[in-house]
Each structure stands twice: as structure tokens, then as C-alpha cells.
Amino acid sequence: MSVLEARAVTKRFGGLTAVKDVDLVVNEGEILGLIGPNGAGKTTFFNCLTGMETPTAGDVTYKGAPLPKRPDLITKAGVARTFQNIRLFNNMTALENVIVGRHTRTKAGVFAAVGRGPRYHREERESEQTARDLLTFVGLGRVGDELAKSLPYGDQRRLEIARALATDPGLLLLDEPTAGMNPNETAAAIDLVKGVQARGIAVVLIEHDMRFVFGLCDRVAVLVQGQKLLEGSPSEVQSDDRVIAAYLGKPTEAETAGDKQ
Amino acid sequence: MTSQTIPEARVRSAPDLGVLLTGAGALLLVGSALLPWAGYAGFPGKMTLSGYPGGARLYVLLLALPALALLRPLPGRAAALRAAANVELAVVALTVYFVAYAGGGFVNVGGGVYPAMIGAILYLVGSRRLPTSEAVAEGVALPDASWRFPVESLVVAGTAGLALWLFVIGLGMPSSSIASGSDLTLGPLSINDVANSGQFLAYVITIAGVALVAGRLGLLKSLTIMTGRHPKLFVAAGFIAAAAFPFTQNGSGESLSIAARIGVFAAAAVGLNIVVGLAGLLDLGYIAFFGVGAYFGALVSGSVTSVTGVHLPFALTIVLGGLVSGIFGLLLGAPTLRLRGDYLAIVTLGFGEIFRITVNNLDGSAGPSLTNGPNGVSNIPDLALGSFNFGANHTLFGIDLSFQSNYYWLELLLLAFVMTSFLRLSESRIGRAWVAIREDELAAAATGINTTRLKLLAFALGATLAGAAGTVNAHVVKVAAPDSFTFIESATLLAAIILGGMGTVPGALLGATVLYLLPEKLRFLHDLRLLVFGIALVLIMRFRPEGLVASKRRAREFHDHETDPAAEAVA
Amino acid sequence: MDVFFQQLVNAIVLGATYGLVALGYTMVYGIVQLINFAHGEIYMLGGFGALTTYLALPSGTPAGISLPLMLVGGIAVSVTAAVIMERFAYRPLRSAPRLAPLITAIGVSVFLQELVRNFYPHARSARNFPQLVNPDYQIRLGSNVQISAPQLLTVTVALVGMVTLSTFVRRSRTGRAMQATAQDPDTARLMGIDTDRIIVTAFVLGAALAALAGVSSGLQFGQVDFHMGFITGVKAFTAAVLGGIGNISGAVLGGFILGLVEVMATQYAPDPFSGGAWKDAWSFVVLIIVLVFRPTGLLGERVAARA
Ligand SMILES: Nc1ncnc2c1ncn2[C@@H]1O[C@H](COP(=O)(O)OP(=O)(O)OP(=O)(O)O)[C@@H](O)[C@H]1O
Ligand SMILES: [Mg+2]
């Protein structure tokens, strides 16, 4: 069963085609790695999936239904994400950041907030409990009351994941979750992503750390210059010459040329 | 207040020269407070009496008291005394200046002035030499004992009462004989006006100084801890004290009417705080929404100058006035809230101007007849709820109450409602979403927040509250006229919340009070009011952008660009 | 028809003033994304600077000498004020949250107005401005269409100012550095451009042009007052947005279009919404409409993306 199906997604910025005809299927419960050299269009592809950019062409379905256009509706539908350059609500506490993630799953409006009936209190309690559980889940149980921006880098990345999880996603998109982490933190991140998978959430992650990708992912897709070069099991991808060539920046003449046609 | 390391020897060598000087200065100041400061009659505060610390001398005495801390090395002592000495010098200098000015020259000052000046200088010099190695004072929490609850409750309620009491004293201080509203002609100031202004200024500075000293000694932190534990008690005590205020006025209405105006100004400021402080939308035309409510209220008040001839019940008027204003907010916000933030500022400013021009023109000659043009809708009749007439004096519990008390209580209710809404909203799902949008709009959207809708909600809600406040205000001042709704009024409201501290209720209250009361009481500054106001905006943004009462979030937000090079690079 | 052409002339003159002031907004906004709210006051100070220069000259100085000196005096005052303002009010806030500099700008604006109102002799109400260029001297453009000498001067000064500016920005080293800084301040800095200097340059150029506008408006209307910068400033900002903020030709175009709309609406709007009483309201209506339907302006905006 597939969770997400992207078909022929294309994004052009003026003359530059950042993403070109990319098809991608994400299966239920899997961890899919998305790799590719700098500027390959990985982040742009994520942006197209999450409504941050409008794709020039192509369509995306989530659990069989077309994905809405607006970011908030996409999140509500069940696709959550993190950002390559961490984007937390810096002047809110870690706990508040995660509670904000509950926004789409809660209801209280202005009148409820001013009136504060029993239902309001119940909902607030539930949001807070969920948020605390998630903080514990990502290993930040002790820092809930700290401001997001005062957390160390690695913690900020994990907080972003907790915030995304708070939206009850069916699919989580992680943009370079280990960037800037030390080896210990990276090791912990592996467990974290596996934990997310264990919750029945499919994961797509962009990464440059190959050991991380090949050690963790069920499948790996390679994006080069906006196009999907290939897709397969970690061992298939690892042993493919074209991938190495793409990373070294020197296409092995005829091979890649032939592949493009 | 980073404590710096200083040589061991100096810390130990006691009695320190600094301690001696400070103590001597304080003693001189205490002595001076008991001697006459004016050689002539007429300066407020019985300044000619000796043996009695009247008038500004009381402030001088008060600011010398922290010197008692010399007897024991308290944490934060040096910093507190430095603050006290700075403020003391300011108060002494100011008072001497005003006494001399009002008396026609320095020759006419009393004998107390000399020791005061010498004492203030010694106090300052000495406090600067105090060893500064002592730790910064931390707020202390009371131990968890059975007596904690009653003690804390008493302190918390007492603080609320004290704050209001100080406010009431300031309010009741005599201002001047110049009729208010005479904007352009300053006219000759009487000696009395000058003296009154001087005394009021000394009063305000002293309060600020005492607060500063309390802060340095860690007392404010302790207080914050306590009020944080009993927020409801704090608010209730404050509210009860405020409600009791009319009973202290002996049937006079002057202070009440000023207090009522401050109240409505504060309510509008709190409403604006939702838009600016929480959601981060800069609204430069906020007063126009207030004006929509005011005009609506005026037009359906049954006033003879209203062309509608309609007279709605007041409760309905408030609700409808809020709604009408909210609809204007929606109409203006819906198309413009997608824009960059600073464009929104200009659009709202434009709306404010359109509103003012329009109500100015709808007089039957330049446009349809609706608002009476520049004269506005006036003669708004007094409110009546059932048989209770707001325009009549009453007697309650045997105490005479002027009719202004009725309007004062009405404003107090309005303020309480707006404050409650603000506080409850800011700690709710909606308020968190607003703050999230303010922090990072894109991330907020990616977290599932419908940013457009929520921004619109903040904007329209702010407009609604302003509209409701406007209807009330129209009945208090009995007129709705275009020149009350100029850009400078919007800017003043904005300044009130910036001065007080964005995103906090006490900040908005404090800011509104200061911005309203100072020009009211400092008539000699009347003409320079806006000049000072402009400079103040610039200086606050430069040196204390989080305002007097910083919300925790804001304080860090505004100050870390000074310490965090990464933030600098990004911006 | 004559009325129409006469109003067209008036619109062009008005538009020239808006365009001159708009250039200052657009340059500063293009580079530092600040709505320099006090720019209108810089325009006002230009008028007062020129008036002061005139008063300082011995009476009887021929207009041929006093007029250029007044322009120089106006420019000097405006530029000085702008430089001080940039250095002490805005620069310290360069990396502060966005609301901070805008609020500061409001403060500076109020301060400058009040400074003039309280401390310039007799400036509480409008002050007479010398009528050095005789307004009764009219040049006939058609049977019933004419342009007065001060109007002609305004248009001429505006055109010269605009052409000089655009040549400067396109041709000179500093001008190109300005464009680069507007595109991407960080990269510009890496390329060795002294961005602080560039920002000051933008303020200086804007102030000089605003001063020209201030002096011309004094000559045209025979008076200057402390409040004249507020409305003109907001309208000039509208013009800048209308043309596409950050875009130099856009500011000029926007100025002319706004002048046109204002003059024509005043003349031809359906009763009772025509006439001087509604003039300013129309400009703001245009502002709102433009921002709603074309927030990037007619010629497109050129503003560095801000993270
Ligand atoms: N908003 C935009 N406008 C114009 N070009 C863009 C925009 N966003 C991305 N690009 C370009 O699209 C290309 C793909 O960028 P993208 O950020 O998606 O790469 P990436 O694979 O995520 O790289 P990295 O591994 O460095 O994060 C790059 O050439 C980039 O410059
Ligand atoms: Mg990327």
C-alpha cells in the first residue's frame, strides 16, 4: 500500500528547472532516503510536496486523495515536515512549540478561549500531555520549559521532529535531520527515526550522511540535477557507478548521457 | 549587573570608604528632609515647615532609606544603592530647581537645600565606590510552610493595593489652573503650575527609583514568584481596590473622570496589544476602529445632533458597535493581510486617514449628511439603565458619589473584560498560533496553522474590542468628533504598549497611564508633549525595546541580536 | 476639454513632487527594507532650510542668486538631518526585529515635526515662503491651458533630479554598488562593498531629491509648514509602492500616476465625492487598491529577499 504518490512533479524557477518530472511512491511504514548532490532539488521537491512552492506541473496524492494546495491543509491531511535550516518558534518554549503542533487536531476558538468551559480545559490538558509525551519520545523530556532558541543544535532538530509529530502525521518528511550533529547525536537520531517508523509513520528523509542513509533506509532514491537518477534498495544504490559519478560531479560520459534519454 | 572581580583586600577592608561616604550622604539627606526647603510660602507640600518631611522631602527621605542596607551586606546591595543615589540626585536637583524657580531665584530657597545637595553628591560618590563583588540578588521563594499561604496572599493583595494607591495619589496631585484643551497658547504659567509640575515629576521619579532599588535587591523577583503563584488573587485584589476608588473621593469627580479616560485608553491599548503584541501585525490606524465604535455609539445614542434619531439600549449599542467595527476590520484585513508586514502598517495608516477625512466630510455639504462634519456628534445624553441614571450623583453606604463614578465603573468593567480576553486568549490555542505566526509564518503554516485566517482573526478581534471601547468612550466624553481620531492618537496607543512592554497586560496599563497622566499633570511640558514622545519612541527602541514590563519572550527576542553573531548574520 | 488639459498639467506638476519624494522611499526600502517614515519630514526640512537661507541673505538679493543658494541650503539641511537620522536612529537597529526600526521611524517623524513647530520661529502655523518666481507669470499651452512659472520650475527640477539620479545609479561605481546591495546585501558585502556607506548614500540621495521637492512646493504654494511632510510623505510612499518598490523608474511613474489620479478624482469623481475635501482620501483609496491587486507594483519590485 502506498501512502504518497508523486507523479511527474516539475518545478521551474525562471529558466532553471530545479525539479524535473520526478515520480516517487512512498509505501506505508517505510523509510525512504532521498539523496543527491547539493542543489539537486531535494529541498525544492519537499517544498512542492508540502505546499511551500506550487509545482509547475505534476500531481501528488496522499492515501489516494489529491493533496490540497495550502501548507496548513497538507499538514492537516497528514504530511508533516522539518526544515533544512531549522525553523522553530524561537521565543516560545520547547513545550509550547510542540503544543502548537496540535493546532490542527484541536478546536478551541476565541469564544472557548475566553469562556473556558470544561471542554476547553480538557482539550488543553490533552494537548499538553501529548506534547510532553512527544518531548520524552524525542529525548527532550527535561527541557520543556526552555526557550527553543536556547537549546543546542541537535536538540533543536529533535524538537522540530517532535513538533511535526504532534500534528499526527501519516508521513513525515525530514530535511537533513542530522546536519550539524556529532556522531553520538547521529546515532541517537537513527533510533529516533526507527521509533517514528514503529509508530506506523512513513518517513522520507533527505541526507548527505551516507552511512546514516544506507544504515537506516528501506529504499533510497537519488536525485541529480532535478531528475530522479534511480531508486532501489540501499545496496543497489550504493553499488551504482552513476551515483558515485553524480556525487563526484563528473558524469561518466556515455553512461549518463545514455541514461538521460 | 555582572559582578566583576575585584582585589580580595578591598572586599575585606572594612569599613570601606564607599560605605562611609554613602552613609554620610544618607544621613545628610535624612537631616535635610527635616529642614525647610523653601524660604517662602506657597510651594506645595509645606516645604517651609521644619521637623516635618513634607512634599518632595518625603521622596528624598525615602530614597535615602536603602542606605540601611549598609548595615548588612545584602546581595545586590551596591547596585541597589547606586540606583538609589542616581535617582536621589535627580529628585534633589529637580526639586531644588523648581523651588528656586517658583520662588523667583536661588536666594529664596530654605536651609535644607544645602545639606541635601551635599548629601546627594556624597551618596552618589560613595555608592559608586562600594565593593561590587557581591552576587546579583535572586528572588527568594518562601519555604513551603503552613504560614506561606496567608503571608503570600497578604503580600500579593497588598502589592495590588499599593500599586493602585500610588496611582491614585498621583492622580489626585494638583495639576494646574490652565484649562485643558488650550493646545496652542501656553499662556503664562503661574508659580503654582510650575511647583505642582515639579512635585509631580519628583513623585513619578521616586516611584520609578524605588521600583529600581527593589529590583536590584531581588524584591521584584520574589514578588513575581509570589504573584505568579496567586495570579487570581492578585487580579481580584487589584480589581476590588480599583472599584473602591470612588468611595475615597468625597463626592468629587475630577480624578474619577481622568481615571475613566485612562481606563478607556488602556482598554484600547490592550486591544491593540492583541494585534501588535501577540500576532505581530503593525496597525497604525487602530484609532479609526475606535472611532467607528464611537461614531456608531453616538449616532444611536438618541443625541439631538445625531441625524438618525435612533436610540438603542446601551448594552445593544456596545455589542453592535463592536461588530460594526469588526466588520470594517474584516473588510480591510481580508485583502491586505497577505501583504508584507510593513505594507500592512501603511494600509492601516491609510485607512485611518480615510476614516478621519470621511467623518470630517459627511456633513451634508461635502458629502451626505451623517456625522456633522468637524463638529461631530455631540450632546450625547447620559446613560440610563432602567431607573438608574448615570448622570446623577448617588449615595451608597452613606458615601456621596459623584456621577463620574458611574462612568468610572463602566470603564472599569470594560477594562476588566478586555484584559480577561487578552490574558485568556494569549494562553490559548489561538494565542499560541498568533505568537507562532509572529515568530515564523512559514513554519507556522507548515505546522498546520491557517495563517491568513488567524491573522484576520487577530485584526478583526482587535477592531471589535476597539469598537466596543469606542462606544463606551463616546458616552463618557459625550461627543464623537474627527479630531479625536488622528494618526497621532494611533501612534500614542502604539507607544503606550511599546513603552509598557509589548504583549503584556501590566505593560499596556502602565504605558497607558504614563502616556496619559504625564501630559495631564506636566502642563509646562504641554507643548513639548509630542516632541518628548517622538524622542521617547526612538530611545526606547534603541535601549529598551522590550519596554518597562518585559514579557519573557520579548526581552530575549529584542536583546539577543546584541550578543548572538549568528542572528546578526541572518538579518 | 480645456479643463481636462489644464488638470493634466496640474497632475504632472503634482506627480513630479510625489516622484521626487518617492525616490527616497524606494532607494532606502530597496536596500534596507525600511519604510523611512520620516522621509516626509526630510522633504519638509528642505523647504525650511531654503526659507532660512533666504532669510539669511541680505534683502534685495536678486532671485538669480538667492534661488540657487536656497536650493543648496535646503539640500544641506535635509541631507544633514537624514545622515544623523540614519546614523543614530536606524543603524543601531539594523539587525533588530522588523517592527523596531519602523516604530523608530515614526518617532523620528513626530520628533522632526515638533522640533520645527516648537523651535522654528513662528512655525506653529504656516510660514510664508518667498515668491521668487512670479506665479502670475503664466505660459500658455493652449487657448485656456497654462503652466505657471513655479510649476514649470518644479517639473524642470524634478526631471533634472530624476535623470541625474538614474544616470548615477546606472553608470557610477557607487550606483552599481547600490544596485548590488539591494539585490543581496550579504553577497555585496562579501564582494568588498562597504554596505554602510551605500546605505548612507541612499539616504543622502533621497534627502537631496526630497529637498528639491520641498523647495519647489514652497515656491509653488508660497508657504511651508511643519505638517506638510506627513501627507506628502505617505502619498509619495504610495507612489513608490504603485511603481514597484525598490524600482527607480517605478517611483517616478508611480508619482505621476498618483498625481493624475488625485487631480482627476478631485475634478471628476461623482458628486459629492469630488473637490478638495476628498482629495487625500482618494490617494489612500488608490494605495489600498494597488496593494490589494498588484502588491508588487506596476513595474515590479526590486527588493532583496529577507530571511
Ligand atoms: N526560490 C527559488 N528561486 C530560485 N531558485 C531556487 C529557489 N529555490 C531553490 N532554487 C534553486 O533550485 C536548485 C535546487 O535547490 P534545492 O535547495 O532544492 O537543492 P537541494 O538538493 O536541497 O540542495 P542541498 O543539498 O544543498 O540542500 C538550486 O539550484 C537552487 O539554487
Ligand atoms: Mg536542501
Side-chain angles (χ1 to χ4, degrees):
Chain A
M1 251 293 277
S2 71
V3 185
L4 182 100
E5 287 185 35
R7 234 183 301 277
V9 172
T10 299
K11 177 69 197 178
R12 280 190 213 99
F13 294 111
L16 174 91
T17 308
V19 177
K20 192 172 177 196
D21 281 337
V22 173
D23 296 320
L24 195 74
V25 175
V26 186
N27 296 315
E28 206 158 274
E30 79 172 336
I31 301 178
L32 176 67
L34 188 60
I35 63 171
N38 290 115
K42 306 178 295 292
T43 299
T44 307
F45 182 63
F46 267 20
N47 286 345
C48 289
L49 296 184
T50 52
M52 313 264 119
E53 306 271 8
T54 319
T56 317
D59 42 32
V60 187
T61 58
Y62 174 74
K63 294 192 172 163
L67 213 53
K69 298 272 176 283
R70 272 199 344 241
D72 55 306
L73 294 180
I74 292 173
T75 306
K76 189 167 186 176
V79 182
R81 72 170 291 175
T82 65
F83 294 89
Q84 181 172 351
N85 48 343
I86 305 171
R87 302 187 79 139
L88 288 165
F89 308 125
N90 277 326
N91 296 294
M92 299 175 94
T93 64
L95 184 67
E96 283 174 317
N97 266 274
V98 185
I99 296 181
V100 170
R102 296 300 298 159
H103 189 87
T104 49
R105 307 295 169 215
T106 43
K107 292 209 171 56
V110 169
F111 292 109
V114 176
R116 302 222 158 165
R119 184 166 340 142
Y120 171 85
H121 286 290
R122 190 172 347 114
E123 190 180 276
E124 281 287 295
R125 262 200 312 277
E126 281 167 9
S127 294
E128 188 178 329
Q129 195 49 52
T130 313
R132 285 199 189 281
D133 292 348
L134 281 171
L135 278 178
T136 312
F137 174 69
V138 299
L140 296 177
R142 292 161 177 280
V143 297
D145 292 331
E146 309 241 341
L147 288 190
K149 69 178 175 198
S150 62
L151 296 178
Y153 207 69
D155 286 358
Q156 292 197 359
R157 290 224 175 266
R158 286 190 284 174
L159 179 56
E160 239 195 339
I161 293 176
R163 183 180 70 187
L165 288 175
T167 65
D168 288 346
L171 172 65
L172 180 61
L173 309 178
L174 302 175
D175 198 343
E176 305 200 8
T178 70
M181 284 189 175
N182 63 34
N184 287 338
E185 289 173 323
T186 307
I190 291 184
D191 293 337
L192 178 55
V193 176
K194 284 194 171 143
V196 172
Q197 182 184 34
R199 292 178 157 226
I201 300 169
V203 178
V204 181
L205 57 90
I206 296 175
E207 253 310 330
H208 286 297
D209 181 339
M210 291 307 150
R211 206 174 312 157
F212 182 83
V213 173
F214 294 126
L216 182 62
C217 296
D218 303 313
R219 284 190 309 136
V220 176
V222 187
L223 215 58
V224 176
Q225 293 186 356
Q227 285 174 297
K228 194 169 78 178
L229 189 62
L230 80 161
E231 184 181 336
S233 70
S235 53
E236 281 165 13
V237 171
Q238 226 165 344
S239 57
D240 196 296
D241 290 344
R242 291 172 299 174
V243 177
I244 299 160
Y247 267 92
L248 294 177
K250 240 198 218 162
T252 44
E253 318 87 3
E255 266 184 34
T256 18
D259 190 65
K260 266 184 187 156
Q261 262 127 49
Chain B
M1 285 314 93
T2 49
S3 50
Q4 58 209 59
T5 48
I6 57 161
E8 280 279 304
R10 215 175 114 204
V11 180
R12 293 229 188 95
S13 74
D16 183 275
L17 179 61
V19 172
L20 286 178
L21 285 177
T22 316
L27 284 178
L28 273 174
L29 285 162
V30 170
S32 81
L34 299 171
L35 294 172
W37 280 42
Y40 59 93
F43 201 90
K46 305 197 172 92
M47 294 288 261
T48 47
L49 280 187
S50 63
Y52 165 77
R57 287 178 295 169
L58 182 62
Y59 314 146
V60 171
L61 186 64
L62 220 79
L63 286 166
L65 289 184
L68 287 175
L70 291 174
L71 302 176
R72 267 186 71 197
L74 297 169
R77 180 181 78 174
L81 278 170
R82 273 202 305 273
N86 286 340
V87 178
E88 180 77 285
L89 186 67
V91 169
V92 168
L94 195 87
T95 308
V96 171
Y97 171 80
F98 276 99
V99 169
Y101 183 91
F106 193 72
V107 288
N108 290 326
V109 300
V113 160
Y114 305 99
M117 291 193 302
I118 300 170
I121 289 167
L122 288 183
Y123 200 26
L124 189 76
V125 173
S127 69
R128 238 133 260 271
R129 298 185 60 105
L130 288 175
T132 52
S133 66
E134 300 154 35
V136 176
E138 286 300 332
V140 284
L142 295 178
D144 194 1
S146 62
W147 48 268
R148 187 174 81 177
F149 181 74
V151 170
E152 278 192 351
S153 308
L154 219 62
V155 172
V156 165
T159 308
L162 178 71
L164 270 150
W165 186 60
L166 292 174
F167 168 72
V168 167
I169 290 182
L171 201 61
M173 285 173 97
S175 48
S176 78
S177 52
I178 299 180
S180 59
S182 59
D183 221 77
L184 285 177
T185 49
L186 188 59
L189 286 165
S190 74
I191 299 293
N192 235 335
D193 293 336
V194 175
N196 286 333
S197 296
Q199 208 198 357
F200 182 76
L201 212 54
Y203 177 69
V204 173
I205 295 177
T206 305
I207 292 181
V210 171
L212 211 60
V213 171
R216 297 282 153 84
L217 289 175
L219 295 178
L220 286 188
K221 274 184 199 155
S222 310
L223 210 57
T224 315
I225 295 173
M226 288 188 219
T227 49
R229 228 190 326 254
H230 310 284
K232 288 200 175 127
L233 178 68
F234 183 64
V235 173
F239 190 75
I240 291 171
F245 173 44
F247 293 104
T248 65
Q249 294 297 299
N250 296 323
S252 141
E254 200 186 338
S255 296
L256 283 169
S257 113
I258 300 180
R261 283 180 206 196
I262 294 177
V264 79
F265 187 62
V270 175
L272 180 60
N273 219 349
I274 292 181
V275 186
V276 182
L278 292 184
L281 305 167
L282 189 51
D283 186 344
L284 293 182
Y286 195 68
I287 201 71
F289 296 113
F290 188 84
V292 169
Y295 267 96
F296 180 84
L299 286 173
V300 300
S301 66
S303 153
V304 287
T305 59
S306 153
V307 295
T308 65
V310 177
H311 190 175
L312 296 182
F314 185 60
L316 189 62
T317 307
I318 296 187
V319 174
L320 286 181
L323 281 182
V324 169
S325 183
I327 289 169
F328 272 93
L330 280 180
L331 289 179
L332 183 68
T336 52
L337 281 168
R338 297 175 289 121
L339 301 174
R340 260 203 294 272
D342 36 14
Y343 277 17
L344 181 72
I346 291 291
V347 167
T348 49
L349 184 145
F351 171 70
E353 287 298 301
I354 293 176
F355 173 77
R356 190 181 56 78
I357 295 170
T358 305
V359 293
N360 206 25
N361 284 345
L362 298 182
D363 59 354
S365 68
S369 171
L370 183 64
T371 62
N372 273 340
N375 296 328
V377 183
S378 55
N379 294 336
I380 297 175
D382 274 307
L383 289 172
L385 280 183
S387 64
F388 185 85
N389 181 2
F390 273 62
N393 298 339
H394 293 270
T395 309
L396 203 60
F397 311 127
I399 300 173
D400 284 338
L401 295 169
S402 73
F403 75 93
Q404 280 98 336
S405 345
N406 305 324
Y407 289 104
Y408 171 82
W409 280 320
L410 183 66
E411 298 285 25
L412 198 60
L413 274 182
L414 174 78
L415 186 59
F417 173 73
V418 176
M419 274 170 53
T420 313
S421 306
F422 179 92
L423 287 173
R424 293 194 158 184
L425 277 169
S426 73
E427 296 288 316
S428 76
R429 169 178 176 265
I430 301 289
R432 284 187 299 263
W434 283 333
V435 177
I437 292 172
R438 194 192 76 202
E439 291 286 311
D440 186 333
E441 194 165 338
L442 190 75
T447 312
I449 294 169
N450 184 343
T451 54
T452 318
R453 227 192 98 207
L454 272 146
K455 285 199 287 184
L456 193 55
L457 182 64
F459 196 70
L461 196 66
T464 308
L465 291 178
T471 54
V472 175
N473 194 51
H475 284 90
V476 175
V477 299
K478 308 253 176 294
V479 57
D483 55 2
S484 325
F485 309 115
T486 56
F487 167 69
I488 208 71
E489 303 294 327
S490 289
T492 311
L493 278 176
L494 186 66
I497 59 177
I498 290 165
L499 174 71
M502 247 188 259
T504 69
V505 161
L509 294 184
L510 188 65
T513 308
V514 169
L515 279 188
Y516 199 97
L517 208 53
L518 282 189
E520 190 75 22
K521 294 289 175 185
L522 302 181
R523 283 290 160 71
F524 75 104
L525 264 182
H526 199 241
D527 253 22
L528 301 181
R529 186 176 76 97
L530 288 175
L531 187 86
V532 174
F533 170 82
I535 299 176
L537 275 190
V538 175
L539 292 182
I540 294 170
M541 278 296 120
R542 174 78 182 82
F543 295 107
R544 200 175 160 86
E546 74 274 30
L548 298 175
V549 186
S551 81
K552 269 187 206 117
R553 278 179 197 138
R554 283 280 165 166
R556 305 209 206 175
E557 180 181 346
F558 275 108
H559 279 297
D560 58 33
H561 69 270
E562 285 161 14
T563 49
D564 180 3
E568 214 157 308
V570 173
Chain C
M1 218 48 204
D2 278 349
V3 175
F4 175 78
F5 283 111
Q6 181 61 54
Q7 291 294 38
L8 193 61
V9 170
N10 295 343
I12 289 172
V13 177
L14 187 63
T17 310
Y18 291 161
L20 274 179
V21 183
L23 284 168
Y25 279 107
T26 233
M27 277 188 287
V28 168
Y29 195 94
I31 294 177
V32 286
Q33 281 81 56
L34 164 71
I35 298 182
N36 179 13
F37 210 83
H39 188 60
E41 275 58 52
I42 296 294
Y43 152 86
M44 178 269 292
L45 286 179
F48 276 93
L51 177 63
T52 312
T53 316
Y54 174 80
L55 296 174
L57 291 172
S59 61
T61 313
I65 297 174
S66 59
L67 199 57
L69 286 178
M70 284 164 68
L71 282 177
V72 172
I75 291 177
V77 171
S78 291
V79 166
T80 311
V83 170
I84 293 176
M85 167 170 98
E86 194 279 329
R87 180 67 192 79
F88 293 103
Y90 300 146
R91 192 179 301 181
L93 299 180
R94 197 113 4 108
S95 53
R98 290 199 75 163
L99 285 190
L102 188 55
I103 291 164
T104 298
I106 295 173
V108 174
S109 162
V110 173
F111 169 73
L112 290 177
Q113 279 184 33
E114 290 297 306
L115 196 68
V116 170
R117 185 172 83 91
N118 283 298
F119 297 111
Y120 198 92
H122 312 291
R124 281 169 188 254
S125 43
R127 281 215 52 162
N128 286 338
F129 199 85
Q131 299 271 294
L132 291 179
V133 187
N134 188 351
D136 298 332
Y137 185 80
Q138 310 266 354
I139 299 166
R140 294 184 91 78
L141 300 173
S143 58
N144 252 328
V145 182
Q146 45 218 356
I147 183 167
S148 73
Q151 286 187 318
L152 189 62
L153 186 80
T154 301
V155 176
T156 317
V157 166
L159 287 182
V160 171
M162 288 166 188
V163 171
T164 314
L165 177 74
S166 99
T167 318
F168 175 80
V169 171
R170 273 184 294 128
R171 295 286 154 74
S172 74
R173 249 175 81 84
T174 314
R176 281 197 297 264
M178 272 174 75
Q179 287 179 303
T181 312
Q183 285 281 316
D184 185 343
D186 294 331
T187 311
R189 204 171 301 126
L190 291 179
M191 295 295 154
I193 293 175
D194 178 354
T195 46
D196 273 346
R197 202 177 60 95
I198 294 303
I199 292 169
V200 174
T201 311
F203 272 89
V204 166
L205 291 174
L209 295 175
L212 291 182
V215 182
S216 337
S217 115
L219 289 171
Q220 249 186 83
F221 301 108
Q223 62 175 46
V224 285
D225 79 86
F226 73 91
H227 203 247
M228 70 196 252
F230 176 70
I231 286 285
T232 306
V234 180
K235 286 185 187 168
F237 179 77
T238 307
V241 173
L242 185 58
I245 197 136
N247 187 321
I248 289 187
S249 358
V252 177
L253 180 73
F256 283 115
I257 291 182
L258 194 69
L260 201 65
V261 169
E262 186 177 319
V263 169
M264 293 305 167
T266 309
Q267 177 75 33
Y268 295 111
D271 256 3
F273 298 108
S274 59
W278 292 96
K279 183 172 64 117
D280 294 340
W282 281 113
S283 310
F284 293 118
V285 170
V286 173
L287 169 72
I288 293 178
I289 292 175
V290 169
L291 284 177
V292 170
F293 291 103
R294 200 162 164 91
T296 54
L298 298 170
L299 299 188
E301 56 185 31
R302 301 203 183 139
V303 179
R306 221 182 180 221

